[in-house]
Amino acid sequence: MKLQTELPAVFEEFAEARRNGFLAVKKIKDQNVPVIGVFCGYFPQEVAMAMGAAIVGLCAFSDETIAEAEKDLPRNLCPLIKSSYGFGKTDKCPYFYFSDLVVGETTCDGKKKMYEYLGEIKPVYVMELPNCQSEEGLKLWKKEIIRLKETLEKKFGVTITEEAIKEAIVVKNKERKALKEFYQLSKYDPVPMLGQDLYKVMMGTGFEFNRVLIPEKLDDIRKKVLAEYKEEKKYSKKPRILITGCPIGGATEKVIKAIEDNGAVVVAFESCGGAKTVEDLVDESNPDVYEALAEKYLAIGCSCMTPNPNRIKLLDRMIDEYQVDGVVDMILTACHTYNVETLSIKRFVNDKKEKSYISLETDFSTSDIGQINTRMAAFIEML
C-alpha cells in the first residue's frame, strides 16, 4: 500500500485559499474592514477580532525580494526578516499594501530593528514582548495587550469592549480546537495524509478571514480524510517524523518534501504555524480577559524566551502522542536563538526520549535541495 502521490481535491481547497488570499483581502478592503498585518504568533488576535478587523500574516518565505532588502539590511540576517522587509519595500505584497496597521513584537533582535525601517513605509506599532515567561513578564505582557487595545481604539476610532473580546476568545478557541482535531488525524499509524497535505491545510486556514467559518470547514475536511482512510487502506507504514524549529513556508517547504520523497512521513509540526500556537487555549472562565490572553500567548515556547521550557514540554508530549521515530530541527540561516537551542533539543530528543535527531540549516534558495535530500535520505535510512 502506497502513500498518495497526488494532492487530493480536499486538500486543494485549502491550497486555493492560500493562493486566493490576495483577492479576499482586497474584497475586505473594499468593504472598509480594517486590516491588521502581523508577523508573529505572539500577537493576541482576539483584540483585533473584537473590533471586527481582518488579520493577515506578513511573514514572507521567498527569496524574490531579498536582493532589494539587502540594500538596507545586512546580508547575514535571517532570510525571513529580509524577505518580509523586501516585500514591504518593493510593494510586491498585497497583504502589506492593504494593511492599515502593521503590528510587530520584540521577539528577535533582527525583527525589532527591521521594524524601525518598515515604519518609514507603513504605520508600524511594536508590542514589547518580555524575554522571560516569569510572573513579572506576565504582568508586562498584560499591560502591553491593554496598550494594544487602546492603540487600536485611538487609530480606528472604535471602542473595544471586554464583552467583544470574550466573544472573540470563544471564536478563536473553536478554531484552535478544530485545527487540533484535524492535525491529530496524523496520530494514526499508518497515517491518513502526507505531511505536505497536512501543512497546506494548516497554512490555508490563515487566509480565511472569516474566522467563524474555519471550524466547520476543518471539520468537513477531517471527516472526508477519515472516511477515505477507513475505506481505502492505501497507506504503508513509514518512519514518522516531527518537525520543530523555525517557521516553515514557501521555499522552506522543500524540507517537508525531502523528508517524504526519501521514504518517511511528517506526522507533526511543533514549529510556528503548527502546534506551538494552537495547543493551548485561552481560559474562557477567567473574568479578566487581558490576563487570560496574556497567560495563553506568553506561554508559547519560542526560542526568544530565556529559559524556554515550554518548547521541551510540548515536544515531550508530541513525540509520544504521534509515535515519532525522528525529529528534524529546521533552522533558518542566521536565526541565532533557534540555532543555539539545537544543542538542548538534541540532548532532550537523544537522551531523554531516545529518538533520532538532526538539525538542518537552510534558507529560501533552491541551491541546497540536493544536499537536503542527501542528508534526509541518510537520516531516514538510519531510522
Side-chain angles (χ1 to χ4, degrees):
M1 294 183 290
K2 294 182 179 180
L3 286 166
Q4 292 173 317
T5 57
E6 296 182 2
L7 180 68
V10 70
F11 298 115
E12 187 65 26
E13 294 175 18
F14 280 83
E16 282 296 321
R18 185 176 172 185
R19 288 192 286 266
N20 295 335
F22 296 154
L23 299 175
V25 76
K26 182 184 184 303
K27 185 177 180 180
I28 287 170
K29 284 296 296 180
D30 289 343
Q31 297 170 349
N32 293 319
V33 174
V35 176
I36 310 295
V38 302
F39 285 96
C40 185
Y42 281 110
F43 176 76
Q45 294 195 18
E46 290 84 349
V47 179
M49 289 168 62
M51 61 169 274
I55 303 159
V56 296
L58 299 180
C59 283
F61 298 94
S62 165
D63 62 359
E64 180 183 347
T65 63
I66 284 181
E68 187 63 34
E70 287 177 346
K71 293 179 181 179
D72 299 342
L73 302 175
R75 292 189 65 188
N76 61 339
L77 187 64
C78 164
L80 187 149
I81 298 172
K82 291 189 291 187
S83 179
S84 300
Y85 175 77
F87 273 98
K89 179 186 177 183
T90 59
D91 218 12
K92 289 185 176 181
C93 176
Y95 298 128
F96 185 85
Y97 175 81
F98 286 120
S99 292
D100 298 294
L101 179 69
V102 173
V103 180
E105 302 83 9
T106 54
T107 46
C108 71
D109 291 341
K111 267 189 181 179
K112 67 187 183 187
K113 297 305 291 183
M114 180 269 283
Y115 294 147
E116 296 176 14
Y117 296 123
L118 205 61
E120 299 173 4
I121 307 168
K122 178 79 71 173
V124 173
Y125 175 79
V126 179
M127 300 181 71
E128 186 178 347
L129 180 72
N131 291 322
C132 182
Q133 293 159 328
S134 62
E135 191 173 323
E136 290 303 311
L138 184 62
K139 291 177 182 177
L140 171 60
W141 193 229
K142 177 183 173 181
K143 290 179 181 177
E144 284 297 292
I145 292 174
I146 294 172
R147 190 165 71 94
L148 170 68
K149 182 207 70 128
E150 293 170 346
T151 299
L152 295 179
E153 287 178 325
K154 183 177 180 180
K155 178 170 178 60
F156 294 101
V158 297
T159 299
I160 302 175
T161 65
E162 291 190 14
E163 190 59 37
I165 295 176
K166 287 180 182 179
E167 292 173 3
I169 287 172
V170 172
V171 170
K172 190 65 183 175
N173 273 350
K174 286 181 179 177
E175 177 190 329
R176 293 184 183 107
K177 290 174 185 176
L179 196 52
K180 283 175 65 175
E181 287 179 358
F182 171 71
Y183 66 62
Q184 285 175 349
L185 288 175
S186 289
K187 289 182 179 180
Y188 284 97
D189 188 13
V191 294
M193 57 189 160
L194 292 171
Q196 296 171 73
D197 294 337
L198 165 62
Y199 204 74
K200 282 181 171 66
V201 174
M202 296 175 73
M203 290 291 287
T205 57
F207 298 93
E208 171 56 72
F209 299 114
N210 187 340
R211 317 306 296 179
V212 176
L213 299 178
I214 292 176
E216 184 179 350
K217 289 186 175 184
L218 285 170
D219 191 50
D220 285 344
I221 188 174
R222 181 185 62 81
K223 289 176 180 176
K224 289 176 184 176
V225 172
L226 190 56
E228 183 177 307
Y229 178 66
K230 290 180 177 179
E231 291 174 7
E232 304 177 39
K233 294 290 185 179
K234 54 186 177 184
Y235 297 88
S236 57
K237 293 173 74 70
K238 302 275 186 177
R240 300 166 65 85
I241 304 296
L242 178 148
I243 293 182
T244 184
C246 293
I248 292 179
T252 46
E253 289 179 32
K254 62 188 174 185
V255 175
I256 307 172
K257 188 175 187 302
I259 291 169
E260 297 190 326
D261 283 353
N262 285 286
V265 62
V266 179
V267 296
F269 298 90
E270 182 274 337
S271 48
C272 293
K276 190 187 295 290
T277 58
V278 177
E279 284 289 308
D280 293 333
L281 304 179
V282 179
D283 183 1
E284 296 177 19
S285 66
N286 190 336
D288 186 339
V289 294
Y290 304 110
E291 181 179 81
L293 289 172
E295 288 176 344
K296 182 269 181 290
Y297 282 95
L298 191 62
I300 293 172
C302 177
S303 64
C304 67
M305 292 292 162
T306 302
N308 186 22
N310 289 348
R311 184 184 181 193
I312 296 290
K313 290 177 184 177
L314 182 56
L315 279 171
D316 189 15
R317 192 169 78 244
M318 293 183 74
I319 288 171
D320 291 342
E321 291 179 358
Y322 289 84
Q323 305 170 65
V324 169
D325 298 305
V327 172
V328 175
D329 201 351
M330 201 282 290
I331 311 298
L332 290 174
T333 305
C335 182
H336 301 310
T337 55
Y338 270 108
N339 218 338
V340 170
E341 270 195 2
T342 56
L343 176 60
S344 59
I345 300 302
K346 183 179 189 295
R347 286 172 173 170
F348 171 74
V349 174
N350 286 164
D351 301 340
K352 300 293 184 182
K353 305 305 292 182
E354 298 182 337
K355 302 292 182 181
S356 296
Y357 168 92
I358 186 172
S359 63
L360 187 68
E361 190 170 343
T362 187
D363 57 18
F364 295 165
S365 71
T366 58
S367 61
D368 63 350
I369 288 178
Q371 181 190 34
I372 291 173
N373 272 291
T374 300
R375 294 192 66 197
M376 287 301 100
F379 180 67
I380 292 163
E381 185 178 354
M382 179 184 66
L383 296 179

